[in-house]
Amino acid sequence: MSEVAELCSELLRIDTTNDGSGDGPGERRAAEYVASLLAEVGIEPVVFESAPRRTSVVARIPGDSRDALLMHGHLDVVPADPAEWGTHPFSGEISGGCVHGRGAVDMKGTLAMTLAWARENARRGVRPRRDLVLAFLADEESTGEYGAGHAVERHRDLFEGCTEAISESGGFSWYEDGVRIYPVAVGERGTAWMRLTARGVPGHGSKPAVDNPVAELARALARLADHRWPVRLTPEVARLIDELSRALGRSIDLDRLEEEIERIPRAAALFKGVLRNSANPTMLDAGYKVNVIPGTAEAHVDGRFLPGQRDEFLETVDRLLGPKVTREFVSFEEAVSSPAEGLFDELTAALLAEDPAGRPVPYVMTGGTDAKWFARIGIRGYGFAPLLLPPALDYFGMFHGLDERVPVEGLEFGVRVLDRLLTTG
């Protein structure tokens, strides 16, 4: 079995569940394992904690250029219920040509590729073309405050010289009509996680309500959920659609995108989630007894906005909520974008060197990653975790889904692409 598959399996066996409460196992065991793998081949790790068990690892590999590239990924994973899985989510089982477990795609498989590449080149004494900073971080699956946020705020010196970064959610193969497409992320929508509060007049549930905050909040949430956000075609998404048109050899009508989404559903999966802003109610909390009208009601909303759309997004949210519902941010991160040139061209060249038939395209993520934290200190981020996947494997469905798995051959492909990018050029 290849080293990358073994490393992925071992990482998956370590439970690093992060449900956002802070009560989980934390990332310490995984971080210590990663640190030992680096130290074993002479790469000196720096291990630090932002809170008990919330552990991260950073290491620098000297290269031929001091212009450093950051390669960052997260050690934590979202929860998984073993009763819902075909294999135990923390088994790391290798079967059917895949490594199975929570985090196989998001994103311990990518960490395993990074480690396998770094260890092999350290053993061979090969220097990368530029300085590399490897970061294995806590807490990305929540707000990132205990991982990338802490690293940026308290350990900024570890990222000295870093101007660009690569991480998750890009470089994977995706298919439409037999064409193998590789979306490389050049941007992310902004994040606005909000707590909504309605206040009213408490009273007996059998009496006519004077001002029921539960009803007020419910009406506001319905307006928010029912709102049809307008299409806002950003330059990054427009280029993605243009490149998809070229790759597929067919025109995609920008004035009829809804129809195009139906016509080319798999290719459209790369852009349909980034045509608009969005705001989805996700949590409700109100009342404590069936016959008591409470004085307050709360809800949480996952808001996402496109680059350049923050003000319009927030103005629309406030209008839909109305004057009786207030909002506050649980987490807020600006949308980020990077140029589809320079490093982007190097990333696509590395993919094409291993898969000449592939068609790399720029891509904007619907969600967010730790790239937003590093953007605060001037590091431009790209989503690039190269994987060659079979057409039948639903890559997007693996994220936070059941029976998450990654093909061994896909991991091995990723290591070769990283070597093209980092060593051979």
Side-chain angles (χ1 to χ4, degrees), residues 310-347:
R310 178 192 61 187
D311 292 344
E312 179 183 308
F313 169 78
L314 293 176
E315 288 169 3
T316 303
V317 167
D318 290 340
R319 175 174 55 81
L320 293 170
L321 293 180
K324 292 187 176 182
V325 178
T326 61
R327 64 169 170 84
E328 59 182 313
F329 293 124
V330 176
S331 179
F332 181 87
E333 295 291 340
E334 292 284 1
V336 295
S337 60
S338 298
E341 59 187 17
L343 178 59
F344 175 84
D345 294 331
E346 296 179 34
L347 301 176

PDB file of all heavy atoms in Angstrom, residues 310-347:
ATOM      1  N   ARG A 310     -21.258  42.723  -0.236  1.00  0.00           N
ATOM      2  CA  ARG A 310     -21.530  42.759   1.203  1.00  0.00           C
ATOM      3  C   ARG A 310     -22.632  43.764   1.558  1.00  0.00           C
ATOM      4  O   ARG A 310     -23.593  43.421   2.266  1.00  0.00           O
ATOM      5  CB  ARG A 310     -20.260  43.115   1.984  1.00  0.00           C
ATOM      6  CG  ARG A 310     -20.474  43.229   3.491  1.00  0.00           C
ATOM      7  CD  ARG A 310     -19.281  43.866   4.168  1.00  0.00           C
ATOM      8  NE  ARG A 310     -19.056  45.211   3.658  1.00  0.00           N
ATOM      9  CZ  ARG A 310     -18.001  45.958   3.978  1.00  0.00           C
ATOM     10  NH1 ARG A 310     -17.077  45.488   4.775  1.00  0.00           N
ATOM     11  NH2 ARG A 310     -17.873  47.186   3.479  1.00  0.00           N
ATOM     12  N   ASP A 311     -22.501  44.990   1.097  1.00  0.00           N
ATOM     13  CA  ASP A 311     -23.448  46.026   1.502  1.00  0.00           C
ATOM     14  C   ASP A 311     -24.864  45.710   1.018  1.00  0.00           C
ATOM     15  O   ASP A 311     -25.836  45.842   1.776  1.00  0.00           O
ATOM     16  CB  ASP A 311     -22.998  47.395   0.985  1.00  0.00           C
ATOM     17  CG  ASP A 311     -21.722  47.878   1.658  1.00  0.00           C
ATOM     18  OD1 ASP A 311     -21.366  47.313   2.709  1.00  0.00           O
ATOM     19  OD2 ASP A 311     -21.080  48.807   1.124  1.00  0.00           O
ATOM     20  N   GLU A 312     -24.989  45.308  -0.232  1.00  0.00           N
ATOM     21  CA  GLU A 312     -26.313  44.960  -0.754  1.00  0.00           C
ATOM     22  C   GLU A 312     -26.917  43.788   0.021  1.00  0.00           C
ATOM     23  O   GLU A 312     -28.109  43.775   0.322  1.00  0.00           O
ATOM     24  CB  GLU A 312     -26.226  44.618  -2.238  1.00  0.00           C
ATOM     25  CG  GLU A 312     -27.568  44.214  -2.837  1.00  0.00           C
ATOM     26  CD  GLU A 312     -27.465  43.803  -4.289  1.00  0.00           C
ATOM     27  OE1 GLU A 312     -26.908  44.579  -5.090  1.00  0.00           O
ATOM     28  OE2 GLU A 312     -27.941  42.702  -4.628  1.00  0.00           O
ATOM     29  N   PHE A 313     -26.075  42.822   0.353  1.00  0.00           N
ATOM     30  CA  PHE A 313     -26.546  41.658   1.098  1.00  0.00           C
ATOM     31  C   PHE A 313     -27.112  42.061   2.456  1.00  0.00           C
ATOM     32  O   PHE A 313     -28.231  41.692   2.829  1.00  0.00           O
ATOM     33  CB  PHE A 313     -25.397  40.666   1.281  1.00  0.00           C
ATOM     34  CG  PHE A 313     -25.690  39.549   2.249  1.00  0.00           C
ATOM     35  CD1 PHE A 313     -26.480  38.480   1.868  1.00  0.00           C
ATOM     36  CD2 PHE A 313     -25.185  39.584   3.545  1.00  0.00           C
ATOM     37  CE1 PHE A 313     -26.758  37.447   2.768  1.00  0.00           C
ATOM     38  CE2 PHE A 313     -25.455  38.576   4.440  1.00  0.00           C
ATOM     39  CZ  PHE A 313     -26.250  37.499   4.056  1.00  0.00           C
ATOM     40  N   LEU A 314     -26.357  42.854   3.211  1.00  0.00           N
ATOM     41  CA  LEU A 314     -26.791  43.233   4.554  1.00  0.00           C
ATOM     42  C   LEU A 314     -28.012  44.145   4.506  1.00  0.00           C
ATOM     43  O   LEU A 314     -28.915  44.038   5.347  1.00  0.00           O
ATOM     44  CB  LEU A 314     -25.645  43.906   5.300  1.00  0.00           C
ATOM     45  CG  LEU A 314     -24.455  42.995   5.626  1.00  0.00           C
ATOM     46  CD1 LEU A 314     -23.334  43.783   6.288  1.00  0.00           C
ATOM     47  CD2 LEU A 314     -24.873  41.828   6.513  1.00  0.00           C
ATOM     48  N   GLU A 315     -28.070  45.047   3.540  1.00  0.00           N
ATOM     49  CA  GLU A 315     -29.244  45.909   3.401  1.00  0.00           C
ATOM     50  C   GLU A 315     -30.493  45.079   3.114  1.00  0.00           C
ATOM     51  O   GLU A 315     -31.575  45.350   3.651  1.00  0.00           O
ATOM     52  CB  GLU A 315     -29.010  46.917   2.282  1.00  0.00           C
ATOM     53  CG  GLU A 315     -27.991  47.999   2.639  1.00  0.00           C
ATOM     54  CD  GLU A 315     -27.581  48.821   1.432  1.00  0.00           C
ATOM     55  OE1 GLU A 315     -28.139  48.575   0.331  1.00  0.00           O
ATOM     56  OE2 GLU A 315     -26.695  49.693   1.574  1.00  0.00           O
ATOM     57  N   THR A 316     -30.357  44.059   2.283  1.00  0.00           N
ATOM     58  CA  THR A 316     -31.490  43.198   1.962  1.00  0.00           C
ATOM     59  C   THR A 316     -31.925  42.392   3.174  1.00  0.00           C
ATOM     60  O   THR A 316     -33.124  42.253   3.449  1.00  0.00           O
ATOM     61  CB  THR A 316     -31.128  42.258   0.798  1.00  0.00           C
ATOM     62  OG1 THR A 316     -30.727  43.028  -0.332  1.00  0.00           O
ATOM     63  CG2 THR A 316     -32.316  41.384   0.419  1.00  0.00           C
ATOM     64  N   VAL A 317     -30.965  41.858   3.910  1.00  0.00           N
ATOM     65  CA  VAL A 317     -31.296  41.102   5.124  1.00  0.00           C
ATOM     66  C   VAL A 317     -32.074  41.983   6.099  1.00  0.00           C
ATOM     67  O   VAL A 317     -33.116  41.575   6.639  1.00  0.00           O
ATOM     68  CB  VAL A 317     -30.017  40.548   5.786  1.00  0.00           C
ATOM     69  CG1 VAL A 317     -30.312  40.041   7.203  1.00  0.00           C
ATOM     70  CG2 VAL A 317     -29.427  39.424   4.944  1.00  0.00           C
ATOM     71  N   ASP A 318     -31.612  43.197   6.339  1.00  0.00           N
ATOM     72  CA  ASP A 318     -32.289  44.089   7.281  1.00  0.00           C
ATOM     73  C   ASP A 318     -33.703  44.422   6.819  1.00  0.00           C
ATOM     74  O   ASP A 318     -34.638  44.489   7.630  1.00  0.00           O
ATOM     75  CB  ASP A 318     -31.473  45.374   7.464  1.00  0.00           C
ATOM     76  CG  ASP A 318     -30.184  45.131   8.227  1.00  0.00           C
ATOM     77  OD1 ASP A 318     -30.091  44.105   8.924  1.00  0.00           O
ATOM     78  OD2 ASP A 318     -29.265  45.966   8.123  1.00  0.00           O
ATOM     79  N   ARG A 319     -33.881  44.628   5.536  1.00  0.00           N
ATOM     80  CA  ARG A 319     -35.214  44.936   5.014  1.00  0.00           C
ATOM     81  C   ARG A 319     -36.160  43.745   5.206  1.00  0.00           C
ATOM     82  O   ARG A 319     -37.324  43.920   5.599  1.00  0.00           O
ATOM     83  CB  ARG A 319     -35.125  45.309   3.535  1.00  0.00           C
ATOM     84  CG  ARG A 319     -36.481  45.529   2.868  1.00  0.00           C
ATOM     85  CD  ARG A 319     -36.323  46.035   1.452  1.00  0.00           C
ATOM     86  NE  ARG A 319     -35.482  45.179   0.635  1.00  0.00           N
ATOM     87  CZ  ARG A 319     -35.910  44.061   0.044  1.00  0.00           C
ATOM     88  NH1 ARG A 319     -37.166  43.653   0.206  1.00  0.00           N
ATOM     89  NH2 ARG A 319     -35.098  43.347  -0.708  1.00  0.00           N
ATOM     90  N   LEU A 320     -35.666  42.534   4.958  1.00  0.00           N
ATOM     91  CA  LEU A 320     -36.506  41.351   5.083  1.00  0.00           C
ATOM     92  C   LEU A 320     -36.836  41.034   6.540  1.00  0.00           C
ATOM     93  O   LEU A 320     -37.935  40.561   6.853  1.00  0.00           O
ATOM     94  CB  LEU A 320     -35.815  40.151   4.432  1.00  0.00           C
ATOM     95  CG  LEU A 320     -35.655  40.225   2.913  1.00  0.00           C
ATOM     96  CD1 LEU A 320     -34.744  39.113   2.421  1.00  0.00           C
ATOM     97  CD2 LEU A 320     -37.007  40.147   2.229  1.00  0.00           C
ATOM     98  N   LEU A 321     -35.901  41.295   7.447  1.00  0.00           N
ATOM     99  CA  LEU A 321     -36.149  41.009   8.860  1.00  0.00           C
ATOM    100  C   LEU A 321     -37.180  41.959   9.454  1.00  0.00           C
ATOM    101  O   LEU A 321     -37.974  41.569  10.321  1.00  0.00           O
ATOM    102  CB  LEU A 321     -34.849  41.096   9.656  1.00  0.00           C
ATOM    103  CG  LEU A 321     -33.793  40.033   9.342  1.00  0.00           C
ATOM    104  CD1 LEU A 321     -32.559  40.255  10.209  1.00  0.00           C
ATOM    105  CD2 LEU A 321     -34.341  38.631   9.539  1.00  0.00           C
ATOM    106  N   GLY A 322     -37.181  43.203   9.017  1.00  0.00           N
ATOM    107  CA  GLY A 322     -38.109  44.179   9.562  1.00  0.00           C
ATOM    108  C   GLY A 322     -37.599  44.812  10.837  1.00  0.00           C
ATOM    109  O   GLY A 322     -36.579  44.404  11.405  1.00  0.00           O
ATOM    110  N   PRO A 323     -38.319  45.797  11.355  1.00  0.00           N
ATOM    111  CA  PRO A 323     -37.824  46.592  12.481  1.00  0.00           C
ATOM    112  C   PRO A 323     -37.840  45.875  13.829  1.00  0.00           C
ATOM    113  O   PRO A 323     -37.192  46.335  14.764  1.00  0.00           O
ATOM    114  CB  PRO A 323     -38.769  47.798  12.491  1.00  0.00           C
ATOM    115  CG  PRO A 323     -40.042  47.279  11.882  1.00  0.00           C
ATOM    116  CD  PRO A 323     -39.603  46.306  10.831  1.00  0.00           C
ATOM    117  N   LYS A 324     -38.581  44.776  13.971  1.00  0.00           N
ATOM    118  CA  LYS A 324     -38.721  44.125  15.267  1.00  0.00           C
ATOM    119  C   LYS A 324     -37.728  42.990  15.497  1.00  0.00           C
ATOM    120  O   LYS A 324     -37.729  42.382  16.578  1.00  0.00           O
ATOM    121  CB  LYS A 324     -40.145  43.598  15.441  1.00  0.00           C
ATOM    122  CG  LYS A 324     -41.196  44.695  15.560  1.00  0.00           C
ATOM    123  CD  LYS A 324     -42.559  44.109  15.900  1.00  0.00           C
ATOM    124  CE  LYS A 324     -43.583  45.198  16.111  1.00  0.00           C
ATOM    125  NZ  LYS A 324     -44.915  44.636  16.486  1.00  0.00           N
ATOM    126  N   VAL A 325     -36.916  42.696  14.515  1.00  0.00           N
ATOM    127  CA  VAL A 325     -35.924  41.620  14.643  1.00  0.00           C
ATOM    128  C   VAL A 325     -34.539  42.219  14.478  1.00  0.00           C
ATOM    129  O   VAL A 325     -34.257  42.894  13.485  1.00  0.00           O
ATOM    130  CB  VAL A 325     -36.154  40.512  13.596  1.00  0.00           C
ATOM    131  CG1 VAL A 325     -35.076  39.432  13.704  1.00  0.00           C
ATOM    132  CG2 VAL A 325     -37.534  39.889  13.776  1.00  0.00           C
ATOM    133  N   THR A 326     -33.676  41.983  15.453  1.00  0.00           N
ATOM    134  CA  THR A 326     -32.303  42.480  15.385  1.00  0.00           C
ATOM    135  C   THR A 326     -31.361  41.340  14.996  1.00  0.00           C
ATOM    136  O   THR A 326     -31.688  40.166  15.144  1.00  0.00           O
ATOM    137  CB  THR A 326     -31.852  43.055  16.737  1.00  0.00           C
ATOM    138  OG1 THR A 326     -31.896  42.017  17.736  1.00  0.00           O
ATOM    139  CG2 THR A 326     -32.758  44.197  17.167  1.00  0.00           C
ATOM    140  N   ARG A 327     -30.205  41.720  14.494  1.00  0.00           N
ATOM    141  CA  ARG A 327     -29.203  40.721  14.136  1.00  0.00           C
ATOM    142  C   ARG A 327     -27.850  41.089  14.724  1.00  0.00           C
ATOM    143  O   ARG A 327     -27.538  42.256  14.928  1.00  0.00           O
ATOM    144  CB  ARG A 327     -29.082  40.591  12.617  1.00  0.00           C
ATOM    145  CG  ARG A 327     -28.588  41.854  11.936  1.00  0.00           C
ATOM    146  CD  ARG A 327     -28.227  41.607  10.484  1.00  0.00           C
ATOM    147  NE  ARG A 327     -27.985  42.857   9.756  1.00  0.00           N
ATOM    148  CZ  ARG A 327     -26.827  43.506   9.764  1.00  0.00           C
ATOM    149  NH1 ARG A 327     -25.807  43.050  10.484  1.00  0.00           N
ATOM    150  NH2 ARG A 327     -26.691  44.633   9.068  1.00  0.00           N
ATOM    151  N   GLU A 328     -27.060  40.070  14.992  1.00  0.00           N
ATOM    152  CA  GLU A 328     -25.664  40.252  15.382  1.00  0.00           C
ATOM    153  C   GLU A 328     -24.853  39.133  14.743  1.00  0.00           C
ATOM    154  O   GLU A 328     -25.365  38.037  14.497  1.00  0.00           O
ATOM    155  CB  GLU A 328     -25.503  40.240  16.903  1.00  0.00           C
ATOM    156  CG  GLU A 328     -25.981  38.963  17.565  1.00  0.00           C
ATOM    157  CD  GLU A 328     -25.854  39.025  19.072  1.00  0.00           C
ATOM    158  OE1 GLU A 328     -24.778  39.438  19.548  1.00  0.00           O
ATOM    159  OE2 GLU A 328     -26.817  38.640  19.761  1.00  0.00           O
ATOM    160  N   PHE A 329     -23.591  39.405  14.462  1.00  0.00           N
ATOM    161  CA  PHE A 329     -22.746  38.417  13.807  1.00  0.00           C
ATOM    162  C   PHE A 329     -22.196  37.420  14.820  1.00  0.00           C
ATOM    163  O   PHE A 329     -21.629  37.799  15.849  1.00  0.00           O
ATOM    164  CB  PHE A 329     -21.585  39.085  13.077  1.00  0.00           C
ATOM    165  CG  PHE A 329     -22.010  39.915  11.899  1.00  0.00           C
ATOM    166  CD1 PHE A 329     -21.660  41.261  11.825  1.00  0.00           C
ATOM    167  CD2 PHE A 329     -22.756  39.361  10.877  1.00  0.00           C
ATOM    168  CE1 PHE A 329     -22.045  42.028  10.742  1.00  0.00           C
ATOM    169  CE2 PHE A 329     -23.157  40.122   9.790  1.00  0.00           C
ATOM    170  CZ  PHE A 329     -22.798  41.465   9.719  1.00  0.00           C
ATOM    171  N   VAL A 330     -22.356  36.150  14.506  1.00  0.00           N
ATOM    172  CA  VAL A 330     -21.656  35.092  15.222  1.00  0.00           C
ATOM    173  C   VAL A 330     -20.260  34.933  14.631  1.00  0.00           C
ATOM    174  O   VAL A 330     -19.280  34.713  15.329  1.00  0.00           O
ATOM    175  CB  VAL A 330     -22.442  33.768  15.129  1.00  0.00           C
ATOM    176  CG1 VAL A 330     -21.672  32.636  15.800  1.00  0.00           C
ATOM    177  CG2 VAL A 330     -23.818  33.922  15.759  1.00  0.00           C
ATOM    178  N   SER A 331     -20.205  35.057  13.319  1.00  0.00           N
ATOM    179  CA  SER A 331     -18.930  35.041  12.598  1.00  0.00           C
ATOM    180  C   SER A 331     -19.111  35.833  11.316  1.00  0.00           C
ATOM    181  O   SER A 331     -20.137  35.694  10.638  1.00  0.00           O
ATOM    182  CB  SER A 331     -18.499  33.607  12.280  1.00  0.00           C
ATOM    183  OG  SER A 331     -17.271  33.586  11.559  1.00  0.00           O
ATOM    184  N   PHE A 332     -18.128  36.667  11.005  1.00  0.00           N
ATOM    185  CA  PHE A 332     -18.207  37.463   9.779  1.00  0.00           C
ATOM    186  C   PHE A 332     -16.839  37.469   9.112  1.00  0.00           C
ATOM    187  O   PHE A 332     -15.829  37.792   9.744  1.00  0.00           O
ATOM    188  CB  PHE A 332     -18.649  38.896  10.065  1.00  0.00           C
ATOM    189  CG  PHE A 332     -18.762  39.739   8.827  1.00  0.00           C
ATOM    190  CD1 PHE A 332     -19.935  39.760   8.092  1.00  0.00           C
ATOM    191  CD2 PHE A 332     -17.682  40.486   8.373  1.00  0.00           C
ATOM    192  CE1 PHE A 332     -20.045  40.514   6.934  1.00  0.00           C
ATOM    193  CE2 PHE A 332     -17.771  41.244   7.212  1.00  0.00           C
ATOM    194  CZ  PHE A 332     -18.956  41.254   6.495  1.00  0.00           C
ATOM    195  N   GLU A 333     -16.807  37.083   7.851  1.00  0.00           N
ATOM    196  CA  GLU A 333     -15.571  37.096   7.071  1.00  0.00           C
ATOM    197  C   GLU A 333     -15.863  37.647   5.690  1.00  0.00           C
ATOM    198  O   GLU A 333     -16.829  37.252   5.043  1.00  0.00           O
ATOM    199  CB  GLU A 333     -14.987  35.679   6.951  1.00  0.00           C
ATOM    200  CG  GLU A 333     -14.522  35.079   8.266  1.00  0.00           C
ATOM    201  CD  GLU A 333     -13.291  35.761   8.835  1.00  0.00           C
ATOM    202  OE1 GLU A 333     -12.571  36.435   8.064  1.00  0.00           O
ATOM    203  OE2 GLU A 333     -13.038  35.613  10.042  1.00  0.00           O
ATOM    204  N   GLU A 334     -15.020  38.559   5.234  1.00  0.00           N
ATOM    205  CA  GLU A 334     -15.194  39.143   3.914  1.00  0.00           C
ATOM    206  C   GLU A 334     -14.991  38.088   2.824  1.00  0.00           C
ATOM    207  O   GLU A 334     -14.244  37.117   2.997  1.00  0.00           O
ATOM    208  CB  GLU A 334     -14.189  40.271   3.693  1.00  0.00           C
ATOM    209  CG  GLU A 334     -14.424  41.489   4.568  1.00  0.00           C
ATOM    210  CD  GLU A 334     -15.585  42.350   4.085  1.00  0.00           C
ATOM    211  OE1 GLU A 334     -16.223  41.980   3.075  1.00  0.00           O
ATOM    212  OE2 GLU A 334     -15.829  43.399   4.711  1.00  0.00           O
ATOM    213  N   ALA A 335     -15.649  38.289   1.695  1.00  0.00           N
ATOM    214  CA  ALA A 335     -15.384  37.470   0.519  1.00  0.00           C
ATOM    215  C   ALA A 335     -13.949  37.722   0.051  1.00  0.00           C
ATOM    216  O   ALA A 335     -13.426  38.826   0.198  1.00  0.00           O
ATOM    217  CB  ALA A 335     -16.369  37.813  -0.596  1.00  0.00           C
ATOM    218  N   VAL A 336     -13.320  36.688  -0.487  1.00  0.00           N
ATOM    219  CA  VAL A 336     -11.937  36.825  -0.950  1.00  0.00           C
ATOM    220  C   VAL A 336     -11.844  36.366  -2.398  1.00  0.00           C
ATOM    221  O   VAL A 336     -12.619  35.519  -2.859  1.00  0.00           O
ATOM    222  CB  VAL A 336     -10.959  36.008  -0.073  1.00  0.00           C
ATOM    223  CG1 VAL A 336     -10.929  36.555   1.343  1.00  0.00           C
ATOM    224  CG2 VAL A 336     -11.327  34.531  -0.054  1.00  0.00           C
ATOM    225  N   SER A 337     -10.873  36.923  -3.109  1.00  0.00           N
ATOM    226  CA  SER A 337     -10.614  36.499  -4.482  1.00  0.00           C
ATOM    227  C   SER A 337      -9.140  36.703  -4.796  1.00  0.00           C
ATOM    228  O   SER A 337      -8.479  37.563  -4.206  1.00  0.00           O
ATOM    229  CB  SER A 337     -11.490  37.275  -5.472  1.00  0.00           C
ATOM    230  OG  SER A 337     -11.232  38.670  -5.389  1.00  0.00           O
ATOM    231  N   SER A 338      -8.644  35.895  -5.719  1.00  0.00           N
ATOM    232  CA  SER A 338      -7.247  35.954  -6.150  1.00  0.00           C
ATOM    233  C   SER A 338      -7.213  35.935  -7.677  1.00  0.00           C
ATOM    234  O   SER A 338      -8.119  35.397  -8.319  1.00  0.00           O
ATOM    235  CB  SER A 338      -6.465  34.760  -5.584  1.00  0.00           C
ATOM    236  OG  SER A 338      -6.447  34.783  -4.177  1.00  0.00           O
ATOM    237  N   PRO A 339      -6.165  36.497  -8.266  1.00  0.00           N
ATOM    238  CA  PRO A 339      -6.128  36.571  -9.732  1.00  0.00           C
ATOM    239  C   PRO A 339      -5.977  35.201 -10.382  1.00  0.00           C
ATOM    240  O   PRO A 339      -5.244  34.340  -9.891  1.00  0.00           O
ATOM    241  CB  PRO A 339      -4.908  37.460 -10.002  1.00  0.00           C
ATOM    242  CG  PRO A 339      -4.066  37.366  -8.776  1.00  0.00           C
ATOM    243  CD  PRO A 339      -5.012  37.166  -7.636  1.00  0.00           C
ATOM    244  N   ALA A 340      -6.664  35.006 -11.495  1.00  0.00           N
ATOM    245  CA  ALA A 340      -6.561  33.756 -12.264  1.00  0.00           C
ATOM    246  C   ALA A 340      -5.373  33.845 -13.219  1.00  0.00           C
ATOM    247  O   ALA A 340      -5.502  33.702 -14.444  1.00  0.00           O
ATOM    248  CB  ALA A 340      -7.852  33.486 -13.004  1.00  0.00           C
ATOM    249  N   GLU A 341      -4.207  34.075 -12.655  1.00  0.00           N
ATOM    250  CA  GLU A 341      -2.949  34.166 -13.386  1.00  0.00           C
ATOM    251  C   GLU A 341      -1.822  33.951 -12.388  1.00  0.00           C
ATOM    252  O   GLU A 341      -2.062  33.762 -11.193  1.00  0.00           O
ATOM    253  CB  GLU A 341      -2.824  35.544 -14.069  1.00  0.00           C
ATOM    254  CG  GLU A 341      -2.883  36.706 -13.084  1.00  0.00           C
ATOM    255  CD  GLU A 341      -2.922  38.064 -13.782  1.00  0.00           C
ATOM    256  OE1 GLU A 341      -3.230  38.097 -14.981  1.00  0.00           O
ATOM    257  OE2 GLU A 341      -2.637  39.077 -13.115  1.00  0.00           O
ATOM    258  N   GLY A 342      -0.604  33.960 -12.846  1.00  0.00           N
ATOM    259  CA  GLY A 342       0.524  33.763 -11.936  1.00  0.00           C
ATOM    260  C   GLY A 342       0.509  32.363 -11.351  1.00  0.00           C
ATOM    261  O   GLY A 342       0.656  31.371 -12.083  1.00  0.00           O
ATOM    262  N   LEU A 343       0.348  32.250 -10.042  1.00  0.00           N
ATOM    263  CA  LEU A 343       0.301  30.939  -9.410  1.00  0.00           C
ATOM    264  C   LEU A 343      -0.814  30.081  -9.994  1.00  0.00           C
ATOM    265  O   LEU A 343      -0.662  28.865 -10.144  1.00  0.00           O
ATOM    266  CB  LEU A 343       0.123  31.077  -7.897  1.00  0.00           C
ATOM    267  CG  LEU A 343       0.014  29.764  -7.103  1.00  0.00           C
ATOM    268  CD1 LEU A 343       1.258  28.892  -7.299  1.00  0.00           C
ATOM    269  CD2 LEU A 343      -0.219  30.034  -5.620  1.00  0.00           C
ATOM    270  N   PHE A 344      -1.935  30.704 -10.339  1.00  0.00           N
ATOM    271  CA  PHE A 344      -3.025  29.952 -10.966  1.00  0.00           C
ATOM    272  C   PHE A 344      -2.521  29.205 -12.198  1.00  0.00           C
ATOM    273  O   PHE A 344      -2.856  28.025 -12.412  1.00  0.00           O
ATOM    274  CB  PHE A 344      -4.159  30.895 -11.342  1.00  0.00           C
ATOM    275  CG  PHE A 344      -5.282  30.226 -12.102  1.00  0.00           C
ATOM    276  CD1 PHE A 344      -6.286  29.558 -11.426  1.00  0.00           C
ATOM    277  CD2 PHE A 344      -5.322  30.270 -13.487  1.00  0.00           C
ATOM    278  CE1 PHE A 344      -7.321  28.938 -12.122  1.00  0.00           C
ATOM    279  CE2 PHE A 344      -6.344  29.660 -14.192  1.00  0.00           C
ATOM    280  CZ  PHE A 344      -7.344  28.987 -13.504  1.00  0.00           C
ATOM    281  N   ASP A 345      -1.712  29.856 -13.011  1.00  0.00           N
ATOM    282  CA  ASP A 345      -1.173  29.217 -14.211  1.00  0.00           C
ATOM    283  C   ASP A 345      -0.253  28.053 -13.846  1.00  0.00           C
ATOM    284  O   ASP A 345      -0.230  27.025 -14.539  1.00  0.00           O
ATOM    285  CB  ASP A 345      -0.413  30.233 -15.061  1.00  0.00           C
ATOM    286  CG  ASP A 345      -1.325  31.315 -15.629  1.00  0.00           C
ATOM    287  OD1 ASP A 345      -2.519  31.024 -15.856  1.00  0.00           O
ATOM    288  OD2 ASP A 345      -0.851  32.454 -15.818  1.00  0.00           O
ATOM    289  N   GLU A 346       0.505  28.192 -12.773  1.00  0.00           N
ATOM    290  CA  GLU A 346       1.371  27.100 -12.328  1.00  0.00           C
ATOM    291  C   GLU A 346       0.544  25.907 -11.848  1.00  0.00           C
ATOM    292  O   GLU A 346       0.903  24.749 -12.090  1.00  0.00           O
ATOM    293  CB  GLU A 346       2.288  27.585 -11.206  1.00  0.00           C
ATOM    294  CG  GLU A 346       3.273  28.668 -11.622  1.00  0.00           C
ATOM    295  CD  GLU A 346       4.140  29.129 -10.455  1.00  0.00           C
ATOM    296  OE1 GLU A 346       4.467  28.271  -9.594  1.00  0.00           O
ATOM    297  OE2 GLU A 346       4.456  30.320 -10.375  1.00  0.00           O
ATOM    298  N   LEU A 347      -0.550  26.191 -11.161  1.00  0.00           N
ATOM    299  CA  LEU A 347      -1.409  25.109 -10.674  1.00  0.00           C
ATOM    300  C   LEU A 347      -2.017  24.342 -11.842  1.00  0.00           C
ATOM    301  O   LEU A 347      -2.056  23.101 -11.835  1.00  0.00           O
ATOM    302  CB  LEU A 347      -2.517  25.690  -9.794  1.00  0.00           C
ATOM    303  CG  LEU A 347      -2.069  26.471  -8.556  1.00  0.00           C
ATOM    304  CD1 LEU A 347      -3.279  27.070  -7.833  1.00  0.00           C
ATOM    305  CD2 LEU A 347      -1.278  25.600  -7.602  1.00  0.00           C
TER     306      LEU A 347
END
